[in-house]
């Protein structure tokens, strides 16, 4: 999985802390500059880890069929991204 987060944002900190807590090996690399936030842009970081993708995504997280992707952490929690790989949230699925 590759997830893109803002270089200086809280999403990056949350994702990295969760991966460390779960004992998941990952690497970070410079991403692209996005066009938002005026002329200076926002720097992104690509966080790459070897996690299994969950398909289908549990219905409590999907707004419509195929609009998001999910990756399972060792604890069973899910990393939810949009289709472009931007972090949406880290969530705990309902028990089956």
């Amino acid at each position: 999985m590759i997830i893109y987060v803002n270089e200086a944002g809280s999403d990056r900190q949350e994702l990295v802390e969760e991966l460390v807590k779960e004992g998941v090996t990952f690497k970070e690399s410079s991403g692209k500059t996005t066009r938002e936030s005026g002329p200076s842009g926002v720097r992104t970081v690509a966080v790459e880890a070897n996690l299994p993708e969950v398909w289908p995504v549990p219905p409590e997280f999907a707004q419509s069929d195929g609009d998001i992707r999910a990756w399972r952490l060792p604890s069973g929690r899910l990393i939810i991204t949009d289709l472009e790989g931007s972090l949406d949230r880290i969530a705990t699925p309902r028990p089956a």
Side-chain angles (χ1 to χ4, degrees), residues 37-60:
S37 297
S40 62
V42 175
R43 298 287 306 164
T44 60
V45 172
V47 179
E48 186 174 351
N50 188 14
L51 292 173
E53 186 167 8
V54 175
W55 187 256
V57 175
E60 66 261 31

Side-chain angles (χ1 to χ4, degrees), residues 32-84:
K32 54 191 179 232
T33 301
T34 60
R35 58 220 164 275
E36 302 165 18
S37 297
S40 62
V42 175
R43 298 287 306 164
T44 60
V45 172
V47 179
E48 186 174 351
N50 188 14
L51 292 173
E53 186 167 8
V54 175
W55 187 256
V57 175
E60 66 261 31
F61 301 114
Q63 273 110 45
S64 65
D65 190 33
D67 65 343
I68 61 172
R69 297 175 78 182
W71 313 92
R72 185 171 311 282
L73 290 161
S75 67
R77 294 188 77 204
L78 300 177
I79 298 173
I80 309 293
T81 70
D82 65 16
L83 293 178
E84 295 176 350

Side-chain angles (χ1 to χ4, degrees), residues 2-61:
I2 299 176
I3 297 178
Y4 297 97
V5 291
N6 290 339
E7 186 174 51
S10 62
D11 285 350
R12 176 183 181 209
Q13 181 179 350
E14 178 187 12
L15 178 60
V16 168
E17 285 176 1
E18 192 67 31
L19 293 172
V20 168
K21 182 172 83 175
E22 297 264 352
V24 174
T25 302
F26 65 95
K27 73 176 188 178
E28 295 180 274
S29 56
S30 287
K32 54 191 179 232
T33 301
T34 60
R35 58 220 164 275
E36 302 165 18
S37 297
S40 62
V42 175
R43 298 287 306 164
T44 60
V45 172
V47 179
E48 186 174 351
N50 188 14
L51 292 173
E53 186 167 8
V54 175
W55 187 256
V57 175
E60 66 261 31
F61 301 114

